Amino acid sequence: MQAFLAWLTAQGVDDLQKEKCKLGVYHAEKGERGMLSLQDIKAGTVLLHLPLRLAITDHPADQESNEVMFEDAPWSLRLACKLLREKTKGSASPYHPYLQVLPEHVPSPLHTFAWEDMPEIEIPDMTQQLHHASWLLSDAWPRLSPEATGGASREELEWAVSVVHSRTFGTAAKGGGTAVHMLLPLVDFLNHGGDETECFPGDPFAPTANVRWHLVAPSSDNPSEGFQMHLVARQDIPEGQEILLSYGDRNNDDFFLHYGFVPLRNPHDDAVLFQDLTDALDWHYEHFKPEGLANEEDARILYQAAAEAGLAQERPPSPEDNLTAAMQEQEQKLRVYPGALVDARLMAAFQHLVASQGQEPKKAVAAVAARCQQLLATMSPLPDDLKALAADPWTEQDDRWYYVTAAQHYGVAIQKHPQTQVLLQASTPEVAAPPVQSPALAQQDANSKPYAEDDMPGVTSTTDFQKGVLTPARRLALMYRSQKKMLLWDVVLQG
């Protein structure tokens, strides 16, 4: 690490000189790495000035990559291969000190989940994304020449792809998408600080990031210095506080798939109900076919009109749009959001169908709730997931209390809802609202023995209570799927 920091100083990052240094790197017991403030910092202070010439980059006009990569290679593969080519050079690479401090392992399920771990995910859309990402890598490997990979192995390529997906910064392209992807030393040490709700999906939320980054063009006085990334304090930061940077307002899929962690209380999460409008309308026809249709032609006309009503809610395409095929596919998916909000395209299509029958708009909401119930019926009970996470000794103290509170909240709400009995595989008695702080939890150390059922007032289960340490794969899957189930249950409970 000292050699890396000395290299940065030699490259002109003078923020690390002893008299100017405001940040320090830390290593946690569980292997995590991050940065802390070494002094009180005022809002607006520039903490780092990083020359972009230190970055390993990819962009469509990159001559080196265009010569050695196959034509339709995605940016992540292009940048991963460039990373491997630099790594193959050893100490001859100008990036050698940076390459030496890159993580040896990224806990992404793409590389850590065995086949027997896959059923733990339970979310069909994510399982599909995992299979697709794995297929892309398998499809690309035989198309890559040794010149492209620097002679690296398949395992080394998987490592490079995981590093790229979890550490890359991007500059926005005109019309959407990203113009330049880059691995930039030091700033990629920062951990994620995203927006967080007060407790449950749909609650008010606030940012936790205390820094932001932006690019600065060279000054007219010194045009040769090139572009820089500036890391700026968003607020006053006291000495000893961790420096947190938002990785972006995104759902939990990307964090789970590429970073190997799941932010709790993420107000930007969502749950996929259908792959597109056609999928949704086929499902509606199967389960809620309107009465009184004379023939199949009448049904075709009605459902075509419903599709047009849904498509009318889409943003009109722009000639400046720069969306990849993968981004376009994601945009077609119909989702529910925190606060039981439903994709406007889906609601418009379903409302058109119920209006054609002279029914109230709430029937469209009921159809969406039925879809959520259908998905939940294929999954394990949400309260059991939450209790398993609370019982795991690796769960942090604050997170443990969150899981206990959520298990109580959803357990009681599900039990009381008249239409959810078919989905109940656990018995949860009525209890009062949980207190602000649990004395049992307040006295429990985060690293001590797992919780028993009677440590969670009002939360019991007829199924075996999950005790003991979870495997890393199961823990990550539980964290991911429980957040999705909350979103689905919110629609059912409010529908």
Side-chain angles (χ1 to χ4, degrees):
M1 182 60 67
Q2 291 303 318
F4 167 65
L5 297 176
W7 171 74
L8 287 172
T9 301
Q11 295 297 320
V13 185
D14 59 2
D15 307 285
L16 302 178
Q17 295 179 10
K18 186 173 181 180
E19 64 276 9
K20 297 182 179 180
C21 190
K22 301 179 179 65
L23 305 178
V25 177
Y26 76 84
H27 295 262
E29 292 182 0
K30 297 179 183 179
E32 298 94 343
R33 200 162 56 182
M35 301 185 76
L36 296 170
S37 59
L38 299 179
Q39 57 184 262
D40 292 340
I41 298 170
K42 292 293 186 182
T45 301
V46 180
L47 305 178
L48 289 175
H49 305 71
L50 294 170
L52 293 196
R53 56 182 168 77
L54 300 181
I56 304 174
T57 62
D58 176 70
H59 53 86
D62 186 289
Q63 183 176 354
E64 177 188 341
S65 291
N66 289 342
E67 289 177 353
V68 298
M69 298 296 296
F70 56 87
E71 184 175 354
D72 57 343
W75 72 265
S76 55
L77 194 63
R78 288 165 56 97
L79 188 53
C81 286
K82 180 178 279 192
L83 176 63
L84 289 173
R85 294 195 298 273
E86 290 297 331
K87 192 171 178 62
T88 301
K89 297 175 184 177
S91 58
S93 169
Y95 304 102
H96 180 66
Y98 172 49
L99 302 178
Q100 292 295 101
V101 299
L102 287 174
E104 297 180 0
H105 170 76
V106 177
S108 159
L110 279 168
H111 314 295
T112 61
F113 273 40
W115 281 108
E116 57 267 25
D117 297 320
M118 295 296 288
E120 296 283 5
I121 298 171
E122 292 190 356
I123 306 300
D125 185 70
M126 176 49 63
T127 302
Q128 181 179 334
Q129 288 188 58
L130 263 171
H131 287 315
H132 181 67
S134 179
W135 175 84
L136 284 177
L137 196 58
S138 297
D139 177 69
W141 174 245
R143 304 171 66 187
L144 292 169
S145 66
E147 291 77 19
T149 63
S153 67
R154 166 70 183 265
E155 291 72 23
E156 289 171 318
L157 177 64
E158 291 179 356
W159 167 82
V161 169
S162 68
V163 166
V164 162
H165 273 298
S166 61
R167 308 182 80 80
T168 298
F169 290 82
T171 61
K174 188 176 183 181
T178 304
V180 178
H181 295 90
M182 56 186 173
L183 292 167
L184 188 60
L186 191 61
V187 72
D188 62 353
F189 282 24
L190 296 175
N191 288 318
H192 174 61
D195 294 338
E196 286 188 358
T197 63
E198 293 178 356
C199 193
F200 301 120
D203 285 352
F205 62 88
T208 63
N210 49 21
V211 296
R212 58 180 174 82
W213 67 271
H214 65 269
L215 299 184
V216 178
S219 65
S220 56
D221 297 334
N222 188 12
S224 62
E225 68 182 2
F227 278 81
Q228 291 189 342
M229 176 186 285
H230 286 187
L231 189 71
V232 184
R234 297 177 46 154
Q235 60 197 49
D236 290 347
I237 304 174
E239 180 181 351
Q241 187 174 93
E242 182 171 10
I243 304 301
L244 297 174
L245 177 72
S246 173
Y247 294 179
D249 297 342
R250 60 183 77 175
N251 64 22
N252 284 346
D253 293 18
D254 195 43
F255 293 110
F256 173 81
L257 185 61
H258 295 302
Y259 293 81
F261 73 89
V262 177
L264 294 184
R265 301 185 291 277
N266 179 8
H268 309 292
D269 198 16
D270 57 53
V272 173
L273 300 187
F274 300 103
Q275 293 300 303
D276 53 31
L277 264 178
T278 299
D279 183 27
L281 292 172
D282 286 347
W283 176 87
H284 189 280
Y285 183 77
E286 179 182 354
H287 296 280
F288 294 94
K289 180 181 178 180
E291 299 177 358
L293 294 176
N295 50 52
E296 290 298 316
E297 178 61 16
D298 286 351
R300 186 193 67 79
I301 293 173
L302 174 61
Y303 277 82
Q304 178 61 37
E308 292 172 357
L311 291 172
Q313 299 299 315
E314 289 189 341
R315 178 182 65 85
S318 167
E320 297 180 345
D321 280 352
N322 188 32
L323 303 181
T324 65
M327 294 167 66
Q328 293 175 22
E329 181 180 335
Q330 288 297 317
E331 284 201 345
Q332 293 302 309
K333 294 180 180 181
L334 304 178
R335 312 164 189 262
V336 292
Y337 302 92
L341 298 178
V342 181
D343 189 293
R345 297 167 295 179
L346 181 59
M347 285 306 303
F350 281 10
Q351 286 173 351
H352 180 88
L353 293 170
V354 301
S356 71
Q357 302 296 298
Q359 298 173 338
E360 297 180 0
K362 66 181 182 181
K363 291 289 186 180
V365 177
V368 176
R371 174 57 174 172
C372 293
Q373 284 184 285
Q374 183 187 52
L375 292 172
L376 287 164
T378 67
M379 305 173 189
S380 59
L382 170 60
D384 282 4
D385 287 356
L386 296 168
K387 289 181 287 183
L389 288 164
D392 181 29
W394 278 83
T395 298
E396 299 291 341
Q397 183 74 6
D398 290 344
D399 294 343
R400 179 175 286 123
W401 176 228
Y402 167 76
Y403 289 129
V404 172
T405 305
Q408 291 177 313
H409 171 81
Y410 283 98
V412 173
I414 292 168
Q415 180 69 30
K416 286 182 176 181
H417 197 278
Q419 297 180 359
T420 59
Q421 300 307 308
V422 69
L423 298 178
L424 284 176
Q425 299 177 34
S427 172
T428 307
E430 295 185 15
V431 296
V436 174
Q437 183 177 16
S438 165
L441 290 174
Q443 297 173 10
Q444 184 77 20
D445 182 78
N447 294 319
S448 62
K449 65 181 180 66
Y451 280 87
E453 290 187 67
D454 52 8
D455 288 321
M456 301 181 189
V459 180
T460 59
S461 173
T462 56
T463 60
D464 291 334
F465 186 70
Q466 303 284 349
K467 291 184 174 70
V469 180
L470 299 171
T471 65
R474 178 165 169 76
R475 182 185 306 114
L476 183 61
L478 284 169
M479 292 174 68
Y480 174 76
R481 76 194 197 196
S482 63
Q483 301 297 308
K484 301 295 183 181
K485 292 176 188 179
M486 288 183 194
L487 295 171
L488 296 172
W489 269 118
D490 285 348
V491 176
V492 173
L493 296 171
Q494 297 184 33

